[in-house]
Amino acid sequence: QSDMQKFYVFLILECLNVMGNAQITQPTQPTTGPGSNNPLYSGVKLYDYGTNANADGFWLFEPTGPTPDSGNVVVFIHGWGETNLKFYGAFIDRIVRAGNIVICPRYQKTVDYVYATYTDSCARGIQRALNTLQIPGHVKPRLYNYFVLGHSMGAVMTANMTAEYQYYNLPKPLAAFSM
């Protein structure tokens, strides 16, 4: 190897050594606004349309205390068999208290429900929820800020709802997150 090549190898190794010793610190949590422990709203109103027999029901969560005129829409799609949402309660609560409307479509009635129907059922649940939000007394949805996220099988449904939003006549997601 030439002296120049040896120098470059030394320089790279020295940079890696310096980087390896660097302290990584997390930013401090904001005291107000997004990311803080101080929610904008003090309550959550739940509407349960999730127990219908057709597996295209939904749950609707809206902020209260005070009730806003409008809110961004977050579609949260549950995981395989997680149709009572108890495992997601704190997560949903945090999203809603930040001022968002949360729609949780119920794409399956039981765990043995036919997989081939999940995407259609999920889309119908979302569409029914969006129609319900048009009824007076609900928080008005801001569909230009429409997000989709899902856990487990809900992550697959998130990908489907994002890729097929036009086919199902749903708003175009601003962002999607599969967990």
Side-chain angles (χ1 to χ4, degrees):
Q1 289 181 330
S2 72
D3 287 338
M4 196 57 129
Q5 287 175 323
K6 288 178 186 177
F7 174 73
Y8 286 133
V9 168
F10 169 78
L11 188 60
I12 290 169
L13 291 175
E14 196 56 34
C15 287
L16 290 173
N17 183 41
V18 169
M19 288 171 38
N21 292 328
Q23 278 297 92
I24 299 172
T25 58
Q26 200 168 342
T28 58
Q29 185 174 19
T31 55
T32 60
S36 74
N37 280 330
N38 298 319
L40 297 174
Y41 298 89
S42 63
V44 175
K45 184 159 188 176
L46 164 64
Y47 298 90
D48 183 354
Y49 299 93
T51 56
N52 67 326
N54 297 325
D56 60 354
F58 61 94
W59 293 272
L60 186 58
F61 299 84
E62 297 178 21
T64 63
T67 300
D69 292 333
S70 64
N72 299 332
V73 176
V74 177
V75 174
F76 178 78
I77 308 173
H78 66 81
W80 178 269
E82 300 298 335
T83 56
N84 94 4
L85 302 183
K86 68 182 173 189
F87 298 111
Y88 306 117
F91 185 53
I92 292 169
D93 187 74
R94 184 167 181 93
I95 294 170
V96 176
R97 288 177 189 252
N100 302 291
I101 301 164
V102 174
I103 296 170
C104 295
R106 183 177 189 165
Y107 61 87
Q108 70 181 152
K109 183 72 173 166
T110 63
V111 292
D112 62 346
Y113 204 75
V114 181
Y115 171 77
T117 65
Y118 288 176
T119 299
D120 289 343
S121 293
C122 185
R124 280 193 311 272
I126 295 168
Q127 190 61 57
R128 287 181 61 219
L130 292 172
N131 291 340
T132 299
L133 286 168
Q134 301 306 315
I135 298 170
H138 287 283
V139 176
K140 182 180 177 187
R142 294 192 297 250
L143 296 178
Y144 54 88
N145 283 338
Y146 176 81
F147 305 90
V148 183
L149 62 101
H151 169 250
S152 182
M153 179 56 82
V156 174
M157 296 295 105
T158 295
N160 293 347
M161 294 301 100
T162 302
E164 299 292 329
Y165 76 92
Q166 288 178 314
Y167 175 79
Y168 289 110
N169 197 31
L170 296 171
K172 182 178 181 178
L174 186 61
F177 181 57
S178 293
M179 300 178 280

